[in-house]
Amino acid sequence: MKKLAFIFIVIISVLSGCTKKEPTRTSGIDTIDNTTFFSTTYYNYGFSFSGAKLVSTNINHGWDISIFVSSDSFGTPILTLQADNLKPSFFKVGDFPDGATAKTAFDNLKTVSVTLWLDMADPIADNQVWIYRSGSDTYTKIRVISTVNETRQTIPYGECTFQWVYQPDGTTTFPGK
């Protein structure tokens, strides 16, 4: 009986000590917005491709992109994606007439060659495909699925739902090695 109890305890110990670490995803569909929060400073949430999650913008260099609402010269609100690094990081592959065409272009985009990077993705709209370059020269392709650009309680509100594929190996080939 003592032997059986000992074996049972050993099995429970071994099984509880084995934790399976899920790999960080390298693609998905996510949404970011410009909702502002306050603790000791104002912040919102950006998105980290390497972490595959929303990250507070009050953390230095923890997020890759965030959404910003600005206005053009006529006062019309426009949405932009901004990067958390000090170099031009965006390239627009194209604007597409509908979701199916944008998805096909996104899916068929296997490698990129960019000569002129932009400081921000400006303006963003539904059915666009963009390339993002991080500060450490890893790349992500982004398909803008939908955007919200409106005023909520007298405050400009912006939201972007996007599909993305991140390639962490430093090449310009998707989905990476």
Side-chain angles (χ1 to χ4, degrees):
M1 185 68 160
K2 286 183 181 183
K3 222 180 205 183
L4 186 60
F6 178 74
I7 292 172
F8 183 70
I9 289 172
V10 169
I11 290 173
I12 295 294
S13 297
V14 169
L15 291 178
S16 66
C18 296
T19 57
K20 182 179 177 184
K21 184 178 180 196
E22 293 293 324
T24 303
R25 64 189 171 110
T26 57
S27 63
I29 296 176
D30 289 277
T31 301
I32 58 175
D33 64 39
N34 71 329
T35 302
T36 302
F37 301 92
F38 180 77
S39 62
T40 56
T41 60
Y42 288 99
Y43 66 95
N44 63 354
Y45 284 93
F47 191 80
S48 166
F49 295 113
S50 61
K53 63 183 177 182
L54 293 174
V55 177
S56 170
T57 57
N58 66 1
I59 298 172
N60 289 338
H61 307 297
W63 53 277
D64 290 310
I65 62 170
S66 66
I67 192 165
F68 183 72
V69 181
S70 61
S71 297
D72 65 12
S73 58
F74 300 106
T76 305
I78 56 173
L79 299 176
T80 63
L81 292 178
Q82 299 189 346
D84 183 33
N85 60 55
L86 299 175
K87 65 182 177 183
S89 298
F90 296 95
F91 174 75
K92 187 182 346 181
V93 174
D95 292 291
F96 299 92
D98 55 50
T101 308
K103 183 166 179 13
T104 299
F106 178 83
D107 291 342
N108 290 336
L109 182 62
K110 302 297 182 194
T111 188
V112 295
S113 175
V114 177
T115 56
L116 182 62
W117 293 94
L118 303 171
D119 290 329
M120 62 185 91
D122 178 29
I124 59 167
D126 297 3
N127 306 319
Q128 290 178 332
V129 175
W130 291 85
I131 300 297
Y132 167 76
R133 173 179 64 170
S134 74
S136 58
D137 290 329
T138 58
Y139 300 89
T140 304
K141 64 179 180 176
I142 302 168
R143 176 175 67 100
V144 178
I145 296 171
S146 65
T147 57
V148 176
N149 186 2
E150 62 191 24
T151 300
R152 293 187 179 177
Q153 300 174 349
T154 71
I155 299 171
Y157 174 79
E159 179 180 289
C160 178
T161 298
F162 56 96
Q163 179 181 12
W164 58 278
V165 174
Y166 171 65
Q167 86 47 25
D169 64 12
T171 66
T172 56
T173 302
F174 294 97
K177 293 179 183 176

